[in-house]
Amino acid sequence: MADSAAEQEKAELRGKAHAARAGLSDDFRADAARAVASHFFDMVDVAPEDVVAGYWRIRDELDCTPILVRLMDSGQAVVLPVVVGSEEPLEMRVWEADAPLYEAGFGTMAPADHAPRAVPDLVLMPLLGFDHSGTRLGYGGGYYDRTLAALPRKPLLVGLAFAAQELSHVPRQEHDLPLDAVVTETGVRFFEHSA
C-alpha cells in the first residue's frame, strides 16, 4: 500500500517538475548548461582513470554535452547509456573521440553496437526533480534503478538539473539510490547518506 501511495505522489510530482523545467527559455537553458559544466569541474573530483557515464539530452533536459566534450578532450573515458530492452539495464557504451553517434530511440544518440562497454565510476544522471536529501525523481521507467542494481560496484551519482527542478520532498522507495551530489546553474550540493 505504501508503494502505491509513493508511486501516486511521484506521478503528481513528475507533472509539476516537468512543467517547471519546460517553462525555462532556450537562452536560460544554454547559459545554465555552461554554468553547470563550470561548477562540475570546479567542485567534483574525477580521477584520470575514472569512466564517466553521461547522457544524450532529450527534450528539455539539462544539456551535459559541455561536460562530456571537455572530459573527452582531456582523454577521459566517457560512456553513454543505451536502452536495449524495456526491462533490461542500460548498456554503457564507450563514446570514442570522432566516433559517430546513432539514433537510439527516445530522441537519444548512442555509440554503435560494436562500441566497447565499460563500467562507470561516476554517473551523470538526468532527472525530473530532486529534493534536499538527494532523492532523485526520474521518469518512472526504472532504467537507472535496474542499471545501478546490476553494476558490480556503486558509482558516484551526480544529478544534473536546473535549480527550478528542486522539490520540497520526493518519496524515496527501497530501490531508489540517493544522489551523492546535484549540480545546477547555482552550484553543487553534496549529500551525506547514512550507511
Side-chain angles (χ1 to χ4, degrees), residues 1-12:
M1 197 63 115
D3 274 355
S4 175
E7 285 301 330
Q8 177 61 35
E9 186 178 352
K10 283 182 175 182
E12 291 169 11

Side-chain angles (χ1 to χ4, degrees), residues 15 70 92-93 113-115 143 149 155 179:
R70 185 166 161 188
M92 297 294 178
R93 296 183 190 166
D113 288 345
H114 62 271
Y143 288 103
L179 298 169

Side-chain angles (χ1 to χ4, degrees), residues 27-60:
D27 287 344
F28 180 86
R29 283 183 224 288
D31 290 343
R34 286 188 292 274
V36 164
S38 178
H39 295 313
F40 175 83
F41 287 107
D42 286 347
M43 300 293 296
V44 179
D45 290 328
V46 181
E49 67 276 7
D50 284 348
V51 175
V52 178
Y55 60 88
W56 194 263
R57 177 183 65 88
I58 57 173
R59 297 185 295 273
D60 49 14

Side-chain angles (χ1 to χ4, degrees), residues 89-110:
L90 298 165
E91 197 169 78
M92 297 294 178
R93 296 183 190 166
V94 176
W95 182 14
E96 295 173 317
D98 300 322
L101 297 176
Y102 299 91
E103 288 185 24
F106 303 98
T108 66
M109 301 291 283

